Amino acid sequence: MVGVPRSTGCHICRKRRVKCDETRPKCGNCRKYGTECPGYDRGLKFVTGKHVIRQRKKHGAVTQSTSDSNEPSLFLTLPTSTQTNQWPPASDSTLSTLLRSPSPNRAEYVHTVVASVTTNISKADVTGFLSWCELDKLGSRFVLDGAMCSLAMHLLGKENKDEGLIARSRTVYISSLGALQASLRHATEWKASETLCSAMLLCVFELFAGTNSSDSWLMHARGIGTLMEQRGAETHAEGWDASMILAFRGVLIMGDMFFPSGDHCFLSRPEWKPVIRDGGRHLLHPPEHRVAMIHVIDEFFERLAEIPSVLAPAYVLRESKTMGTFKQPSDVKIVALALRAIECRRLFSQWHEKFKNFAPLGVDIPSTDPDSLFDTVLKYQTPWMGSIHIGYWASLLILQEALVQCEWPEDVAESRSELVYNILRSIETVGAGTMGPYRVGFGIRIAYEFASVKSQLWIRKVLDRFAKTYAATDKKSYPEPRTDNGGIGVQ
């Protein structure tokens, strides 16, 4: 393109005629020499060759492209705002301008949003929860910036009971979802790490917000699983892509439990098993965590990934007995299912003995909840460790129920009662805080199936409280309370 400069470096590097590394928001040369980096915006939107020409639009306009180029038109080009440090934004129009401004300003703004979340919400909760997000990538793509901003704004709005901020988070979510769809339709951008990270952030947004329904996150989780499969196991072996699948393995497995796409969770396949192991690389864990403990946590998710292969056929078997509408499987299939459940339980039990060496069982403390069914509840060294204990107990309940449906000659009543009690008595402490419902969601859903009617009614009250911040625990997705006098818990 004649007459158009080709360099895309910052203003100072172009003026000095030196190579710019184009790091966002400040380039390496400016950082090295202590110079304030002026950024990369040239006032003209252009590219050469196969790239997309991003023409300047009127204020508020979105630059769209149907080109099958290497760079999809995901950036929204508006005049630079001078209010990037203002938080919360004064108005929806200011927010729109900030998110659509050139990338250095946008990166600064989104970093401010994320910093606000980590300041206002327990650092132990959010820092670990978002440890898979490479914040230095912010500012490079609107799809990622918008997804991060929508989730951070929603969490902060819920924490501070700010309905205006929650409403704005949904506005950003809608824009981000459109940008994600554009990325997924693009010939090469669908495979980008930023696209995967954006999809994961928007799925987490659905877990907390439930824009369409309390279980809309399941559709997102299934789509993310499909995206990961198409990208291939080798793509997730190292670096940022490895940390993302490690952080999301639990959500993917939960999605496959409640919304199965096949006989097995894809993470249980031989080529994926090594991928869902951190292996002591500290991709998610803080440096002080022992490598041996990281290996044990990896094994938990490996064991958990086997549960869908038992849960799905066991559910079909139970429905066939209850409704009489399903064809009974053959005796061979029933025996195979029972043996699979027994083997999964054996391996899980062996794992739990190792886990208790790093994370002891909870200790009894007095309940501080006036509505609690229990005088004492279980408190753990850390809530996240308590969450893994709950996940283990819930998995054992599933495996035992499979044996019951297979009419296996084994009495599990006493063990079942202990497992349900352990889960219910852990909810008060592990379920506390903004991230609490996320930690206990799986366990409380499984325990509900086996609880007494009084315990179920109490659980539904807990769900009403949880659903105010975490939509995935909405009781509308739960069965109605039992009408008999059976079940486990306070009668």
Side-chain angles (χ1 to χ4, degrees):
M1 178 177 283
V2 179
V4 179
R6 294 178 180 272
S7 174
T8 57
C10 78
H11 290 286
I12 290 180
C13 289
R14 292 201 306 271
K15 184 176 181 179
R16 291 175 176 172
R17 297 184 181 275
V18 296
K19 183 175 178 59
C20 180
D21 63 7
E22 300 184 33
T23 305
R24 311 284 179 168
K26 299 180 180 180
C27 82
N29 291 332
C30 291
R31 290 200 307 271
K32 180 179 178 181
Y33 295 105
T35 304
E36 183 65 25
C37 186
Y40 305 90
D41 182 34
R42 304 174 66 96
L44 295 174
K45 306 301 177 187
F46 70 92
V47 288
T48 60
K50 294 188 295 181
H51 288 257
V52 178
I53 298 176
R54 297 181 289 171
Q55 299 175 348
R56 187 176 296 278
K57 299 289 183 177
K58 295 181 180 180
H59 189 86
V62 177
T63 302
Q64 298 290 344
S65 172
T66 57
S67 172
D68 194 25
S69 67
N70 291 331
E71 290 289 338
S73 181
L74 300 179
F75 295 97
L76 308 182
T77 58
L78 286 179
T80 301
S81 171
T82 60
Q83 303 182 49
T84 53
N85 290 322
Q86 182 178 350
W87 176 252
S91 65
D92 283 346
S93 61
T94 302
L95 173 63
S96 177
T97 300
L98 288 168
L99 287 179
R100 290 169 168 81
S101 63
S103 53
N105 286 7
R106 193 170 66 232
E108 182 182 355
Y109 175 73
V110 181
H111 275 290
T112 302
V113 177
V114 175
S116 299
V117 174
T118 55
T119 300
N120 283 266
I121 302 177
S122 169
K123 183 177 180 181
D125 266 359
V126 176
T127 303
F129 181 66
L130 295 178
S131 61
W132 49 275
C133 299
E134 293 200 358
L135 299 182
D136 62 333
K137 302 292 185 181
L138 296 176
S140 63
R141 287 174 170 83
F142 169 72
V143 64
L144 178 58
D145 297 342
M148 173 62 81
C149 198
S150 64
L151 175 59
M153 291 170 66
H154 186 84
L155 292 176
L156 191 59
K158 288 292 187 180
E159 180 75 6
N160 296 330
K161 297 180 175 58
D162 186 336
E163 293 299 326
L165 191 56
I166 294 171
R168 292 180 198 173
S169 76
R170 290 175 179 256
T171 300
V172 178
Y173 169 81
I174 293 172
S175 298
S176 304
L177 195 60
L180 175 61
Q181 291 169 345
S183 294
L184 293 173
R185 289 194 297 266
H186 192 267
T188 57
E189 195 70 12
W190 69 270
K191 201 173 183 178
S193 302
E194 289 85 354
T195 300
L196 175 61
C197 186
S198 304
M200 291 168 57
L201 288 168
L202 295 180
C203 180
V204 176
F205 182 95
E206 283 290 351
L207 280 165
F208 283 88
T211 55
N212 293 320
S213 65
S214 59
D215 57 0
S216 56
W217 68 271
L218 287 168
M219 293 297 294
H220 281 256
R222 169 180 271 190
I224 292 167
T226 300
L227 177 60
M228 287 181 172
E229 284 190 87
Q230 291 179 347
R231 295 175 93 235
E234 67 284 354
T235 305
H236 299 87
E238 297 293 341
W240 187 18
D241 298 277
S243 64
M244 283 193 283
I245 197 170
L246 290 174
F248 220 63
R249 52 193 170 179
V251 175
L252 293 172
I253 296 168
M254 294 302 106
D256 222 59
M257 285 189 189
F258 300 118
F259 194 2
S261 56
D263 294 335
H264 298 80
C265 176
F266 78 95
L267 296 180
S268 67
R269 298 174 192 160
E271 68 270 24
W272 286 93
K273 283 187 177 182
V275 176
I276 61 171
R277 283 182 168 269
D278 181 287
R281 291 173 290 174
H282 289 84
L283 292 174
L284 297 177
H285 302 269
E288 63 269 18
H289 279 192
R290 296 167 57 185
V291 171
M293 183 184 72
I294 295 175
H295 282 298
V296 171
I297 293 175
D298 286 343
E299 187 179 349
F300 168 76
F301 287 102
E302 185 174 340
R303 301 277 75 84
L304 193 67
E306 302 288 347
I307 299 298
S309 67
V310 175
L311 176 60
Y315 177 79
V316 171
L317 184 57
R318 186 178 74 171
E319 291 299 294
S320 70
K321 294 179 178 181
T322 302
M323 303 177 64
T325 57
F326 293 94
K327 182 180 179 181
Q328 288 280 4
S330 65
D331 290 342
V332 174
K333 290 185 176 181
I334 290 178
V335 171
L337 174 59
L339 294 177
R340 192 184 315 146
I342 290 171
E343 178 64 8
C344 285
R345 183 177 61 176
R346 182 185 70 82
L347 293 173
F348 233 142
S349 297
Q350 287 181 352
W351 165 83
H352 196 236
E353 291 303 313
K354 291 185 286 186
F355 181 64
K356 287 189 292 186
N357 293 328
F358 298 98
L361 293 170
V363 297
D364 285 302
I365 64 169
S367 171
T368 59
D369 180 0
D371 296 324
S372 177
L373 295 176
F374 311 101
D375 294 328
T376 61
V377 294
L378 295 175
K379 181 176 177 60
Y380 302 86
Q381 287 182 345
T382 67
W384 288 106
M385 292 303 181
S387 175
I388 295 181
H389 281 295
I390 291 175
Y392 164 71
W393 293 323
S395 298
L396 287 194
L397 284 171
I398 292 172
L399 297 172
Q400 288 184 355
E401 178 63 13
L403 294 177
V404 170
Q405 296 305 322
C406 291
E407 300 181 9
W408 202 253
E410 179 180 335
D411 186 1
V412 299
E414 183 176 350
S415 174
R416 176 186 286 175
S417 177
E418 180 183 359
L419 295 172
V420 171
Y421 268 117
N422 286 345
I423 294 173
L424 297 185
R425 292 179 62 229
S426 301
I427 291 172
E428 182 175 328
T429 58
V430 181
T434 300
M435 304 302 299
Y438 178 83
R439 289 190 291 260
V440 303
F442 169 52
I444 197 172
R445 178 63 184 85
I446 301 302
Y448 181 86
E449 291 285 334
F450 306 99
S452 66
V453 61
K454 186 171 183 178
S455 296
Q456 285 185 332
L457 293 173
W458 173 75
I459 290 172
R460 293 174 78 85
K461 289 183 179 179
V462 173
L463 296 176
D464 285 338
R465 187 171 71 248
F466 283 171
K468 294 177 181 178
T469 57
Y470 190 68
T473 53
D474 194 320
K475 67 184 180 184
K476 293 178 182 177
S477 62
Y478 279 56
E480 290 297 318
R482 63 173 69 249
T483 56
D484 56 31
N485 292 323
I488 299 162
V490 180
Q491 300 292 340

